[in-house]
Amino acid sequence: MRERKINLDFNDILICPTPVSDIRSRSECEVGKVLPLFTAPMDTVVNRNNLHIFKDFNICLPRENNGPHVDEDIFSSYGIEEFEKLFLENTVEFTKANILIDVANGHMRRLHHTVSLAKKKYPHMVLMVGNIAHPETFEILQDAGADYIRVGIGNGGGCLTTVQTGVGYPMASLISECAFVKKESKIIADGGMKNYGDIIKALALGADYVMLGSILNRMLESAGETVIIDEVTHKRFRGMSSKSVQKDWGRDTLKASEGIDKMVLVEYTYVQWVSNFRDYLRSAMSYTGCGTLEEFIGNVDIIQISNNAYNRFAK
C-alpha cells in the first residue's frame, strides 16, 4: 500500500474566525431567499405532495413510478438506464430541464460517457450527477459537462455503503480537494451532515450546496410515513438502496441492501429548522467577516484540531 496523507472529516476541523470583523451583527449578513441547500431525492423526505413546503430549498425529487417528468424549477431523478432510453435513444422537446442521473457509483465510465453525449445533444439541459468520492472523478465529470456533481459516498444517514464495503472518502477532505480543482461545475456535498455545524463547515470548505436527507426527514412535514409510538411522533426513514425501496420499484431480484429502513423521532418543524439554520449560518459569516455567501463559501480559514479539542466543545 502506497503511503497517503490522512484525510479529514468534519469533526477534525473548525472554521477560524477572522482577526477583526467589520460586521457588527449577524443580521447584516445576506444568505439569500433560497438557501444553498438541496433536498435529497429520498421518498421519505420529499415528494410531489409536500414539495411546496420547501420554499427555502432547491428541490430534487426521487425517482417516480408514474412516468418521466421534465420540470423547469426542480430536479427530476432518473436511473442511468431510464435516462439513456428516454433522452439518448429518443429526442425530448423542452425549454429547460433540470435532471439528476441518480447512480450510487458515479465512478462508472458509462456515466461519464452518458453525460458527454447528453450535453452534446441537449446543450441547455442542466445535469446533476453522482455520487462520487474521488477528486479526480470530479474533474472527469466536470470535463464531461456535468453542471452539478454530488460528492460523498457512504456518509449519509440512510446509507450503509461504507460500513458494508469499506469504500469511502472523508467528507471534509473530499469537499476541499474537489473545490481545489473546480472550474464551472457546482459541488453538492451529499451525506453525513449531523447538525447545523457540519452543513456550515461543508460550505466553508467550498461546497456550493449541501444536500440533506435524514435532517429533513426528522421534520414534521417530511414525506416519511408518520407513526405514533408511545404517544410520540415518529417518521419512517429509509435509504434509497434499501430492500423496501427495491420492492417498491418492482425488482424481481433484490440486491444486498446498502440502505437502512427505520423509524426516527420527529424533532422539529420545517419553520423551526430553517429559522435556526439561517441564524447559525449568518453567525458563522459574521465571525469570519463575510457579508455574503459568495464571500464565505470556500474563502475562510479552516484549522485542524485534535480529538481533545473536539471533545472539549462537543455536547
Side-chain angles (χ1 to χ4, degrees):
M1 182 181 73
R2 62 175 176 163
E3 184 177 352
R4 300 183 67 94
K5 66 180 179 66
I6 294 176
N7 290 297
L8 307 176
D9 218 319
F10 297 128
N11 290 355
D12 300 315
I13 63 168
L14 285 175
I15 301 166
C16 186
T18 187
V20 178
S21 174
D22 292 324
I23 297 173
R24 293 169 294 181
S25 167
R26 65 185 180 187
S27 63
E28 298 176 17
C29 301
E30 295 291 333
V31 299
K33 183 177 180 181
V34 178
L35 295 167
L37 304 173
F38 268 96
T39 63
M42 304 176 74
D43 62 5
T44 53
V45 171
V46 62
N47 57 31
R48 291 190 177 273
N49 295 323
N50 78 336
L51 65 84
H52 64 279
I53 72 163
F54 290 102
K55 298 176 182 178
D56 304 81
F57 279 74
N58 300 279
I59 298 172
C60 192
L61 283 175
R63 297 186 221 172
E64 299 174 297
N65 290 327
N66 58 344
H69 294 273
V70 176
D71 296 283
E72 292 191 13
D73 299 323
I74 60 179
F75 277 84
S76 300
S77 302
Y78 299 87
I80 190 167
E81 291 184 8
E82 183 185 16
F83 176 86
E84 290 171 346
K85 186 173 294 185
L86 179 63
F87 290 99
L88 298 186
E89 295 178 13
N90 301 284
T91 298
V92 179
E93 299 294 335
F94 54 80
T95 302
K96 179 185 175 185
N98 293 325
I99 304 294
L100 164 63
I101 304 179
D102 187 15
V103 297
N105 182 3
H107 298 255
M108 295 186 299
R109 190 181 302 276
R110 177 184 181 182
L111 177 62
H112 310 160
H113 183 63
T114 296
V115 169
S116 181
L117 291 176
K119 292 298 287 188
K120 289 176 183 176
K121 185 173 182 178
Y122 303 103
H124 301 298
M125 176 182 283
V126 178
L127 268 184
M128 181 191 300
V129 299
N131 284 45
I132 62 101
H134 199 296
E136 290 183 23
T137 313
F138 182 92
E139 286 190 275
I140 292 168
L141 285 168
Q142 177 173 248
D143 292 341
D147 300 285
Y148 296 78
I149 302 172
R150 297 195 298 173
V151 306
I153 288 177
N155 299 296
C159 184
L160 297 172
T161 298
T162 298
V163 172
Q164 304 293 17
T165 69
V167 175
Y169 204 111
M171 279 294 280
S173 290
L174 180 60
I175 295 167
S176 178
E177 291 173 29
C178 288
F180 183 75
V181 299
K182 186 186 80 167
K183 298 172 186 174
E184 298 297 327
S185 298
K186 302 296 185 183
I187 298 171
I188 301 179
D190 179 22
M193 308 299 155
K194 306 294 186 185
N195 48 46
Y196 299 106
D198 286 350
I199 302 169
I200 295 169
K201 287 177 184 179
L203 296 169
L205 288 161
D208 298 285
Y209 300 89
V210 178
M211 182 168 274
L212 303 177
S214 61
I215 283 177
L216 301 188
N217 170 260
R218 297 196 293 273
M219 293 176 176
L220 181 63
E221 300 89 346
S222 75
E225 175 190 2
T226 303
V227 177
I228 306 299
I229 303 174
D230 296 329
E231 300 183 353
V232 179
T233 304
H234 292 69
K235 286 282 187 176
R236 185 185 186 186
F237 178 61
R238 65 180 185 177
M240 296 305 285
S241 63
S242 61
K243 287 190 175 181
S244 62
V245 171
Q246 295 179 48
K247 289 178 182 178
D248 288 348
W249 285 351
R251 291 182 178 171
D252 296 327
T253 303
L254 302 184
K255 301 178 181 178
S257 174
E258 292 184 19
I260 66 166
D261 189 341
K262 66 179 182 179
M263 303 304 297
V264 300
L265 283 171
V266 170
E267 298 182 15
Y268 33 72
T269 67
Y270 175 85
V271 170
Q272 288 169 340
W273 190 90
V274 169
S275 177
N276 285 343
F277 178 72
R278 285 185 177 277
D279 284 344
Y280 291 138
L281 178 56
R282 287 191 179 106
S283 186
M285 292 166 64
S286 70
Y287 277 112
T288 54
C290 299
T292 66
L293 277 176
E294 184 179 8
E295 295 172 348
F296 181 76
I297 291 176
N299 293 317
V300 298
D301 289 334
I302 303 293
I303 55 175
Q304 185 177 351
I305 62 174
S306 67
N307 287 337
N308 284 337
Y310 173 77
N311 292 333
R312 176 69 65 177
F313 66 81
K315 299 174 179 65

